[in-house]
Amino acid sequence: INRTQKARAHTNIALIKYWGKADEQLIIPEDNSLSLTLKDFYTDTEVRFDKDLTADEIVFNNHLMNKAESQKMINFLNIVRQKAQQNIFAHVKTQNNIPTAAGLASSASGFAALAAASSKAIGLDLSRKDLSRLARRGSGSATRSIFGGFVEWEKGNNDQTSFAKPIEENVDWDVNLVAVITNRHEKKISSRRGMKISKATSPYYQAFKQVTSRDLITMKKAISNHDFDLMGHTAEENAMKMHALTFSSDPSFTYFNGDTLKAMQLVHELRNEGINCYFTIDAGPNVKVLVQHDNLKKVIRKFKTAFGQSNVVATVPGPGIEYLN
Ligand code: DP6
């Protein structure tokens, strides 16, 4: 083989958070999670397997990565080579198409795109379910980025049974998301490390698992009823419960910065003014605000005034994995 394949995967925002692994090696989560795939934030990845290469070469946003930077991706390619029973290195070119550069960079779209492009280039013809299982080996949240719209990751209990499935791929009701970027630098505590510390040390971890299974049921009901306020409220509550695990860990930590708190405050202010919007926050300081069309302009204006024009980006639900050639 010496084939080239390009794929696009969109990032996703968790409405019900994945925070903790039952199996760290295989990335089997403690609980199911649920996300929304986003249209304007995506990764394009092209993979070419080449017999003449003596090592994997990975170019990320036009920068040739060194061994340390590319180790996670090389480990992932090793899994793909093993599945295909091929011993051949790859040239990988990957580009994050995320407006206003960093800050929303995501391992979710990155590993979903790499899973799709590399598996196809090496000659594997995987179903979306099997692609989801493969993407999971790179990063948990990538499991969900194979599908569009609202997606649930079924925790399963082994490599075969842990994969995502679409709940509503074409979101044909009024859901918008405004991303508020408060910091463009990489997070100091990776989600991998953060969730491990939380699971091992937070006295609230079991309580989080219990409320998350209840929140998941509520969230699925909200989505099937197209109940925006129930969806937003449940997402915001679930996010705060996840972040409570970071505060209650030993050592304690947080992904929030001062501007994160300010953005949360603005969401409360908007709600007090009768504008229904809700926030959620992943393992970083940036805030994502869920809002419907009628209130979108007001929300954008409020955040642009507070954080600057270029730090506020609006988007809508997006599609699943796409092959580009
Ligand atoms: C807070 O998928 O980045 O965004 O599986 O260790 O690569 P690894 O972690 P990752 O964790 C995402 C955590 C989260 C919640 C979520 O996306 O569900």
Side-chain angles (χ1 to χ4, degrees):
I1 38 160
N2 190 351
R3 283 181 37 212
T4 304
Q5 181 65 51
K6 194 168 178 181
R8 172 172 299 175
H10 295 75
T11 185
N12 70 76
I13 173 76
L15 303 179
I16 301 295
K17 305 296 185 191
Y18 146 55
W19 199 247
K21 293 175 179 69
D23 184 323
E24 286 179 16
Q25 201 56 40
L26 290 171
I27 312 194
I28 311 293
E30 278 284 337
D31 297 290
N32 291 20
S33 55
L34 190 153
S35 61
L36 179 62
T37 302
L38 301 175
K39 181 163 178 247
D40 296 287
F41 311 137
Y42 56 84
T43 302
D44 284 345
T45 296
E46 188 177 85
V47 178
R48 175 169 53 84
F49 283 96
D50 186 338
K51 310 191 263 340
D52 297 331
L53 286 174
T54 53
D56 291 318
E57 265 175 28
I58 300 181
V59 177
F60 180 78
N61 285 348
N62 299 318
H63 155 82
L64 179 65
M65 288 175 124
N66 65 33
K67 185 108 178 131
E69 291 169 323
S70 56
Q71 199 51 56
K72 268 175 115 179
M73 289 171 84
I74 292 173
N75 293 345
F76 185 84
L77 289 168
N78 287 338
I79 294 171
V80 173
R81 278 186 280 264
Q82 198 189 7
K83 265 192 200 301
Q85 311 235 314
Q86 296 278 350
N87 225 328
I88 180 168
F89 292 108
H91 181 80
V92 178
K93 216 175 116 185
T94 185
Q95 195 82 32
N96 263 342
N97 286 281
I98 288 161
T100 65
L104 291 167
S106 144
S107 61
S109 55
F111 278 105
L114 184 62
S118 63
S119 62
K120 198 125 192 192
I122 208 165
L124 294 168
D125 194 15
L126 301 182
S127 66
R128 291 205 301 171
K129 171 182 149 183
D130 287 340
L131 257 187
S132 174
R133 290 176 45 231
L134 176 61
R136 196 198 73 234
R137 305 291 298 275
S139 183
S141 50
T143 312
R144 300 181 306 238
S145 268
I146 301 302
F147 300 99
F150 293 104
V151 182
E152 182 177 3
W153 176 10
E154 298 263 9
K155 62 177 174 170
N157 48 34
N158 55 31
D159 179 48
Q160 291 297 324
T161 54
S162 186
F163 53 86
K165 35 180 152 170
I167 291 184
E168 188 181 77
E169 279 232 86
N170 297 305
V171 180
D172 59 0
W173 52 297
D174 185 0
V175 179
N176 296 265
L177 182 135
V178 177
V180 182
I181 299 157
T182 68
N183 186 320
R184 286 158 196 283
H185 298 111
E186 212 172 311
K187 54 195 170 220
K188 285 191 209 78
I189 300 168
S190 67
S191 11
R192 193 150 299 186
R193 223 178 109 221
M195 63 178 79
K196 191 175 167 165
I197 298 172
S198 299
K199 184 185 160 184
T201 67
S202 171
Y204 305 144
Y205 193 74
Q206 288 308 319
F208 173 74
K209 286 173 62 71
Q210 278 166 22
V211 291
T212 289
S213 71
R214 282 205 296 273
D215 286 350
L216 180 72
I217 293 167
T218 309
M219 182 60 74
K220 289 209 264 196
K221 197 169 88 192
I223 293 166
S224 75
N225 294 338
H226 295 185
D227 183 339
F228 178 80
D229 291 312
L230 185 61
M231 175 187 76
H233 175 78
T234 308
E236 187 173 304
E237 291 290 314
N238 187 262
M240 289 303 274
K241 288 167 199 156
M242 182 205 109
H243 287 277
L245 294 180
T246 73
F247 287 102
S248 56
S249 291
D250 183 6
S252 69
F253 60 101
T254 179
Y255 293 105
F256 298 169
N257 62 27
D259 282 340
T260 312
L261 296 173
K262 184 169 153 192
M264 289 157 63
Q265 187 60 39
L266 290 184
V267 169
H268 286 289
E269 277 175 28
L270 283 161
R271 279 212 295 270
N272 288 339
E273 294 163 24
I275 296 164
N276 291 356
C277 58
Y278 305 88
F279 65 78
T280 183
I281 304 166
D282 274 344
N286 302 317
V287 178
K288 282 91 174 181
V289 182
L290 292 158
V291 59
Q292 293 195 285
H293 184 79
D294 279 354
N295 292 321
L296 182 59
K297 281 215 174 89
K298 287 179 208 144
V299 167
I300 290 176
R301 198 182 315 128
K302 183 116 175 166
F303 283 99
K304 282 194 169 169
T305 306
F307 296 100
Q309 194 82 8
S310 62
N311 292 322
V312 180
V313 188
T315 189
V316 290
I321 201 87
E322 296 165 321
Y323 292 101
L324 300 178
N325 56 336

